[in-house]
C-alpha cells in the first residue's frame, strides 16, 4: 500500500496530526492543529507530546484504533491553562488507521466546534429559563419536547406525534380549526411566523387556554421544522374576558335587566359555552315558602354558530322545579347530564327551549344562580352540545366568576328597573282616564320609553268644570328619572287645583303664571313645558278654545274639511321656571263640528336622527292620512308610525261631535 503523503494536509482547514509506532510517536502536525491544540514537538511519543491529565482518554483511543484497526470519532474539550485569558475550546476528532512512510499509524483529524457548542449552550439556557413549553414540530407530524411542561399541564406523558392521541387533549371546538391553521402554515410560501390560541384539557378535566407561537426553520427554502413556544394563558385570558364582559355591559348600563343579561350571554357564547339562557324570577322576594309556586321567564339567550336557531323570546314563562329551587337556595351550580335521547327535566327551561336542546343535541346543562348583592334574580342555563364535553370543576368556577363580575352593573340595572316601576306607578296614578264630555269625545294615552332609565316626566290631564267647560293640559318635566316623575305629579296636581279653584273664566295665561310662581317658590322643577287650555261649548255646536303655551310643541288641529295645521299663536312664551317675571300670552281659536285637536309631548315627533321641524312635518302627514280613525285608534296609529320609543309620550285628543 502506498504511503500517505502528509503534504496534502499542510493547507487544510481541519486540524491534522499523524502518529506511528507502538508509542504513537508524533510525526506530523499541520498549522491548523497547532492553532487548535498548541504546537507539539514532532518526534516525541504521544504521551510526552500530550502530557495534559485530560489527554488520557485520547491516548487510550490511539491504542484501541491500532489494536482493532477500526476508526473512532469523539467530542473533546481543551481547557486553558490556569490563569490563561483564553476560554475553553470545543472540538470533535476522529482517529483513523493509515499507512505512513514510517509504517502503520493513526491519523487524527479535529474540527473546532467551539462556536456551535456555545450557541447550543446559550439556546439550552434560554429555553430552560422561560416558563413556556418548547417543542420541535416537523412537517411529517412528529414532535419533540425540548422544555417539558405537557405532562404537568395535562397529567399525561408527552406523545411524540401530532395524531389522534395528541388531539384528544384539544377542545373539540378548537381541534378542527387548529388542524386547518397548521396545514395552512405548512403550505404557505414563504413560511412565516404562526401564532394561535386553543384550549387543552388539563389534569383536572377542565380546559385551559394556551397560546402557541411557531417559528419555521428553513432548509433549502422549505420549513422542515418549527420551533414552538407554548404558554398557559388561562389567567390572562380570563382577565381579558372579564374586561370584555364589563365593557359590553357598560354599553347598556342605562338599560334594563334584559339588555344587561343579553350582554352577558353574548360575552360567554361561544368562548365558554355552546348556548346560554337567562331565566329571571317573577318574584322579588326569596326564598319563598315551599307551597308558593316560583315562576321564571326567559330574558336573554345566545347560541354559537352552527347550532339550530334559538326560539324567539315570547311565551317563555315556567313554574320552576324543585331542582331549580334547591339550586337557588343552595346558591351552588348544578350540572345535569343528558344521555342520548333524554330531555331536560321539566321545570328547568320553557318547553320551546327543551325542544331546542333536544334538536341541538345537548349533552349536559349546568344551572348557575344569578345573585346581585344577596338578591336572587334568577338563574342561567348553560348547555354543552354535540361533541362538547360537560364542564369540569374549573369551568364551572370560571363561569361563576363571570356572573359575579356582572353583579355590579346588573344591580344598577335592577335599581333602575325598580325606579322605573315606581315612576310608572306614580304616573299611572295621575294619568287617569279622561272624563265624558257632552258634545265631544276625548281619548288619551301614555307610553313609557323602551329604555329602562327613560322614565320621564310627561303628563296629560282633563277636567270638566260644573258649567261644562273642559280644561285640557299637556306637559313635560325635564329629566328622565324618578325626580322628573315626582315633579310631574306635583306640577300636574298644582295646575289642576289652580284651574279648578279659579273657575272656568280665569285665563289660561294667568293660571300658568300662578303655576310658575308656585313651582319657583317651592323649588319643584327647574325646567318644564306645558299647554293649559280651556274649551267652552257654544250654542251653535262649536267650541271656543283659549290656551297658553309655555314652550311646548304647538297643538295640532285636524279640521273636518281641511288640511291639518299647528295652532302656533302670535307669540311664543318660554318654558316654565325660565323667566318667572315674563307675562304670558293667551291665544284663542274656534273648533267646528268634526274638528280634532291633538295635544302631545315631544317624544312623538323627536328622534336622534331628525329635527323637530322634520318630526312636525311627519305628524302633519300622518294626521291627514289617519284623520278618519276613532280617537283612540288615531292615537295608537300616530304613535306606531312616528315614535321610535326612545322617549316617553303623552297624548290627549279632543274631537267635536259632528252635527246632528
Amino acid at each position: 500500500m502506498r504511503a500517505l503523503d502528509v503534504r496534502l494536509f499542510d493547507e487544510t482547514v481541519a486540524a491534522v496530526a499523524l502518529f506511528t509506532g507502538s508509542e504513537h510517536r508524533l510525526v506530523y502536525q499541520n498549522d491548523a492543529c497547532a492553532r487548535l491544540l498548541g504546537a507539539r514537538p514532532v518526534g516525541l511519543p504521544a504521551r510526552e507530546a500530550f502530557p495534559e491529565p485530560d489527554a488520557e482518554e485520547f491516548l487510550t483511543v490511539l491504542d484501541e484504533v491500532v489494536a482493532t484497526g477500526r476508526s473512532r470519532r469523539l467530542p473533546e474539550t481543551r481547557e486553558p491553562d490556569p490563569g490563561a485569558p483564553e476560554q475553553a475550546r470545543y472540538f470533535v476528532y476522529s482517529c483513523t488507521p493509515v499507512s505512513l512512510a514510517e509504517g502503520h499509524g493513526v491519523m487524527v483529524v479535529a474540527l473546532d466546534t467551539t462556536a456551535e457548542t456555545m450557541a447550543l449552550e446559550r439556546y439550552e439556557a434560554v429555553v430552560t429559563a422561560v416558563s413556556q413549553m418548547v417543542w420541535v414540530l416537523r412537517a411529517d407530524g412528529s414532535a419533540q419536547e425540548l422544555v417539558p411542561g405537557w405532562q404537568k399541564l395535562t397529567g399525561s406523558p408527552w406523545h411524540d406525534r401530532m395524531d389522534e392521541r395528541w388531539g384528544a387533549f384539544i377542545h373539540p371546538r378548537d381541534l378542527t380549526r387548529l388542524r386547518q391553521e397548521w396545514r395552512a402554515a405548512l403550505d404557505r410560501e414563504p413560511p412565516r411566523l404562526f401564532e394561535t390560541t386553543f384550549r387543552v384539557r388539563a389534569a383536572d378535566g377542565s380546559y385551559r387556554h394556551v397560546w402557541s407561537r411557531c417559528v419555521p426553520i428553513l432548509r433549502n427554502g422549505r420549513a422542515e421544522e418549527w420551533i414552538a413556544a407554548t404558554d398557559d394563558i388561562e389567567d390572562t385570558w380570563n382577565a381579558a374576558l372579564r374586561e370584555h364582559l364589563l365593557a359590553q355591559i357598560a354599553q347598556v348600563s342605562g338599560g334594563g335587566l334584559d339588555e344587561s343579561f343579553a350582554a352577558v350571554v353574548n360575552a360567554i357564547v361561544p368562548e365558554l359555552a355552546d348556548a346560554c339562557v337567562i331565566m329571571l324570577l317573577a318574584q322579588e322576594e326569596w326564598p319563598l315558602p315551599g307551597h308558593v309556586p316560583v315562576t321564571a321567564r326567559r330574558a336573554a339567550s345566545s347560541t354559537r354558530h352552527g347550532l339550530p336557531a334559538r326560539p324567539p323570546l315570547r311565551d317563555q314563562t315556567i313554574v320552576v322545579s324543585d331542582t331549580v329551587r334547591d339550586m337557588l337556595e343552595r346558591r351552588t351550580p348544578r350540572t345535569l347530564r343528558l344521555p342520548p335521547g333524554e330531555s331536560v327535566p321539566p321545570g328547568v327551561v320553557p318547553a320551546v327551549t327543551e325542544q331546542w336542546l333536544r334538536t341541538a343535541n345537548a349533552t349536559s346543562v349546568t344551572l348557575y344562580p344569578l345573585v346581585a348583592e344577596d338578591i336572587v334574580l334568577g338563574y342561567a342555563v348553560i348547555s354543552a352540545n354535540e361533541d362538547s364535553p360537560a364542564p369540569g370543576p374549573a369551568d364551572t368556577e370560571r363561569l361563576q366568576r363571570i356572573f359575579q363580575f356582572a353583579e355590579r352593573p346588573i344591580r344598577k340595572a335592577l335599581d333602575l328597573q325598580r325606579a322605573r316601576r315606581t315612576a310608572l306607578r306614580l304616573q299611572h296614578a295621575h294619568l287617569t282616564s279622561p272624563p265624558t264630555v257632552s258634545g265631544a269625545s276625548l281619548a288619551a294615552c301614555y307610553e313609557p320609553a323602551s329604555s329602562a332609565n327613560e322614565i320621564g316626566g310627561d303628563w296629560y290631564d282633563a277636567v270638566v268644570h260644573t258649567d261644562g267647560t273642559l280644561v285640557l293640559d299637556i306637559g313635560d318635566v325635564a329629566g328622565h328619572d324618578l325626580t322628573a316623575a315626582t315633579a310631574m305629579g306635583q306640577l300636574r296636581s298644582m295646575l289642576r287645583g289652580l284651574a279648578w279653584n279659579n273657575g272656568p273664566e280665569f285665563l289660561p295665561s294667568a293660571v300658568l303664571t300662578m303655576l310658575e310662581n308656585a313651582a319657583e317658590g317651592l323649588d319643584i322643577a327647574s325646567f318644564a313645558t306645558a299647554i293649559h287650555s280651556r274649551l267652552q261649548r257654544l250654542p251653535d255646536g262649536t267650541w271656543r278654545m283659549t290656551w297658553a303655551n309655555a314652550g311646548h310643541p304647538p297643538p295640532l288641529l285636524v279640521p273636518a274639511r281641511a288640511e291639518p295645521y299647528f295652532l302656533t299663536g302670535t307669540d311664543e312664551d318660554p318654558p316654565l321656571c325660565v323667566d318667572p317675571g315674563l307675562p304670558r300670552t293667551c291665544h284663542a281659536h274656534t273648533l267646528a263640528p268634526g274638528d280634532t285637536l291633538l295635544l302631545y309631548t315631544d317624544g312623538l315627533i323627536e328622534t336622534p336622527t331628525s329635527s323637530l321641524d322634520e318630526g312636525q312635518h311627519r305628524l302633519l302627514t300622518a294626521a291627514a292620512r289617519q284623520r278618519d280613525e276613532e280617537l283612540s285608534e288615531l292615537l295608537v296609529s300616530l304613535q306606531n308610525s312616528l315614535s321610535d320609543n326612545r322617549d316617553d309620550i303623552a297624548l290627549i285628543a279632543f274631537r267635536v261631535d259632528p252635527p246632528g
Side-chain angles (χ1 to χ4, degrees):
M1 180 180 295
R2 184 176 179 181
L4 183 67
D5 187 353
V6 297
R7 291 175 299 177
L8 296 172
F9 308 119
D10 289 346
E11 303 300 327
T12 61
V13 176
V16 178
L18 298 174
F19 299 85
T20 187
S22 58
E23 294 181 314
H24 312 303
R25 192 175 298 276
L26 177 64
V27 296
Y28 175 80
Q29 180 187 41
N30 67 359
D31 292 340
C33 184
R35 289 192 298 272
L36 178 63
L37 302 177
R40 309 292 169 141
V42 175
L44 290 180
R47 190 169 297 278
E48 296 178 21
F50 295 89
E52 299 93 336
D54 55 0
E56 189 63 36
E57 182 179 7
F58 168 63
L59 300 175
T60 301
V61 170
L62 290 178
D63 290 338
E64 181 183 333
V65 170
V66 170
T68 63
R70 292 193 301 269
S71 300
R72 286 287 307 276
R73 182 175 180 273
L74 295 169
E76 189 58 273
T77 303
R78 177 180 178 274
E79 297 291 340
D81 295 334
E86 68 266 19
Q87 64 181 22
R89 307 294 296 178
Y90 300 91
F91 57 93
V92 60
Y93 68 94
S94 63
C95 300
T96 307
V98 293
S99 295
L100 303 172
E102 294 83 355
H104 295 292
V106 177
M107 178 175 68
V108 177
V109 179
L111 290 175
D112 190 335
T113 61
T114 301
E116 292 83 355
T117 301
M118 295 185 67
L120 181 60
E121 288 177 343
R122 293 188 185 110
Y123 170 74
E124 290 175 344
V126 168
V127 298
T128 303
V130 300
S131 60
Q132 296 109 332
M133 297 173 278
V134 180
W135 312 343
V136 175
L137 308 178
R138 302 181 183 88
D140 63 359
S142 62
Q144 177 184 356
E145 190 177 33
L146 299 181
V147 178
W150 177 262
Q151 184 165 355
K152 180 179 179 181
L153 173 63
T154 66
S156 176
W158 172 259
H159 181 56
D160 60 4
R161 293 203 65 81
M162 298 295 143
D163 55 14
E164 288 74 12
R165 286 178 56 189
W166 184 85
F169 289 91
I170 310 302
H171 194 286
R173 295 275 76 80
D174 297 339
L175 182 58
T176 300
R177 171 186 58 82
L178 183 60
R179 284 174 171 166
Q180 290 173 345
E181 291 177 352
W182 176 237
R183 283 194 293 268
L186 292 178
D187 296 339
R188 189 181 297 136
E189 292 293 344
R192 297 192 299 271
L193 179 71
F194 166 63
E195 292 181 273
T196 191
T197 299
F198 54 96
R199 286 166 287 183
V200 174
R201 190 177 71 239
D204 64 357
S206 63
Y207 283 88
R208 298 184 66 85
H209 287 79
V210 300
W211 168 83
S212 192
R213 181 174 187 172
C214 304
V215 179
I217 297 176
L218 303 180
R219 297 189 181 96
N220 299 320
R222 297 181 56 189
E224 296 185 0
E225 291 184 335
W226 298 71
I227 297 295
T230 301
D231 198 10
D232 185 336
I233 60 166
E234 183 66 17
D235 293 341
T236 303
W237 188 88
N238 279 328
L241 180 65
R242 175 179 180 272
E243 295 302 320
H244 173 64
L245 172 65
L246 295 181
Q248 278 197 309
I249 296 178
Q251 294 177 3
V252 293
S253 60
L257 284 177
D258 290 10
E259 292 92 336
S260 298
F261 277 120
V264 173
V265 298
N266 289 330
I268 66 177
V269 175
E271 293 292 350
L272 294 177
D274 290 334
C276 178
V277 175
I278 300 294
M279 301 294 297
L280 295 185
L281 300 182
Q283 294 84 354
E284 292 188 4
E285 299 174 358
W286 186 264
L288 292 172
H291 66 279
V292 177
V294 178
T295 59
R297 64 175 179 86
R298 193 173 72 139
S301 66
S302 183
T303 58
R304 68 168 171 82
H305 178 72
L307 294 177
R310 60 186 182 272
L313 289 173
R314 60 174 181 265
D315 300 327
Q316 299 289 296
T317 300
I318 62 166
V319 176
V320 304
S321 66
D322 291 340
T323 298
V324 174
R325 291 187 66 138
D326 180 69
M327 180 271 302
L328 292 175
E329 289 172 1
R330 294 175 182 270
R331 301 190 182 186
T332 303
R334 180 171 180 178
T335 296
L336 306 175
R337 298 183 181 273
L338 305 178
E342 290 195 15
S343 300
V344 180
V348 174
V349 291
V352 292
T353 305
E354 286 184 34
Q355 177 59 44
W356 182 88
L357 289 168
R358 284 195 300 270
T359 304
N361 298 319
T363 57
S364 71
V365 294
T366 303
L367 312 180
Y368 294 85
L370 301 176
V371 182
E373 295 186 9
D374 209 38
I375 299 174
V376 178
L377 302 178
Y379 58 99
V381 183
I382 305 293
S383 72
N385 298 72
E386 298 177 337
D387 57 353
S388 294
D395 302 314
T396 302
E397 182 181 352
R398 180 190 299 114
L399 275 166
Q400 265 192 297
R401 289 198 304 269
I402 292 299
F403 290 121
Q404 290 169 357
F405 293 155
E407 179 176 326
R408 181 175 297 176
I410 294 300
R411 178 57 194 239
K412 181 179 179 182
L414 181 65
D415 291 341
L416 284 172
Q417 178 175 286
R418 289 175 172 172
R420 176 181 171 84
R421 285 200 298 265
T422 300
L424 289 178
R425 284 195 295 266
L426 177 63
Q427 287 191 319
H428 286 302
H430 288 289
L431 303 179
T432 55
S433 299
T436 301
V437 179
S438 177
S441 57
L442 277 176
C445 70
Y446 171 78
E447 183 65 28
S450 57
S451 178
N453 64 338
E454 299 291 320
I455 49 183
D458 293 17
W459 90 86
Y460 65 81
D461 196 12
V463 177
V464 180
H465 284 278
T466 54
D467 69 346
T469 298
L470 173 65
V471 173
L472 293 182
D473 295 326
I474 194 83
D476 185 0
V477 176
H480 295 90
D481 52 20
L482 185 57
T483 301
T486 303
M488 175 277 297
Q490 293 173 313
L491 287 179
R492 179 184 178 277
S493 298
M494 288 170 54
L495 181 56
R496 167 179 275 226
L498 289 170
W500 180 266
N501 289 332
N502 285 285
E505 298 305 321
F506 206 68
L507 289 176
S509 57
V511 174
L512 283 187
T513 297
M514 296 177 67
L515 175 67
E516 183 171 39
N517 290 335
E520 182 76 12
L522 298 174
D523 194 23
I524 291 176
S526 60
F527 188 92
T529 65
I531 292 176
H532 178 58
S533 65
R534 182 185 68 193
L535 292 100
Q536 296 172 312
R537 189 181 185 188
L538 304 180
D540 61 356
T542 61
W543 288 72
R544 183 67 172 172
M545 175 185 177
T546 308
W547 79 95
N549 187 339
H552 200 82
L556 174 68
L557 182 65
V558 185
R561 297 181 180 85
E563 292 299 312
Y565 60 94
F566 293 106
L567 299 176
T568 56
T570 55
D571 298 305
E572 292 186 1
D573 292 346
L576 299 173
C577 306
V578 172
D579 190 356
L582 188 70
R584 295 201 170 271
T585 309
C586 252
H587 312 283
H589 189 81
T590 300
L591 279 63
D595 287 357
T596 300
L597 174 72
L598 176 69
L599 303 181
Y600 56 94
T601 55
D602 58 7
L604 180 68
I605 57 176
E606 276 192 311
T607 68
T609 58
S610 63
S611 65
L612 183 62
D613 290 341
E614 292 172 331
Q616 288 181 322
H617 177 73
R618 291 187 295 111
L619 175 57
L620 289 172
T621 302
R625 184 174 60 250
Q626 298 156 349
R627 62 193 307 155
D628 296 329
E629 296 180 356
E630 294 292 332
L631 281 188
S632 57
E633 295 176 358
L634 174 64
L635 298 186
V636 173
S637 298
L638 292 177
Q639 182 180 311
N640 291 340
S641 61
L642 298 176
S643 173
D644 62 359
N645 294 324
R646 291 175 181 264
D647 197 359
D648 55 341
I649 302 169
L651 299 171
I652 188 165
F654 169 86
R655 179 175 288 167
V656 181
D657 287 348

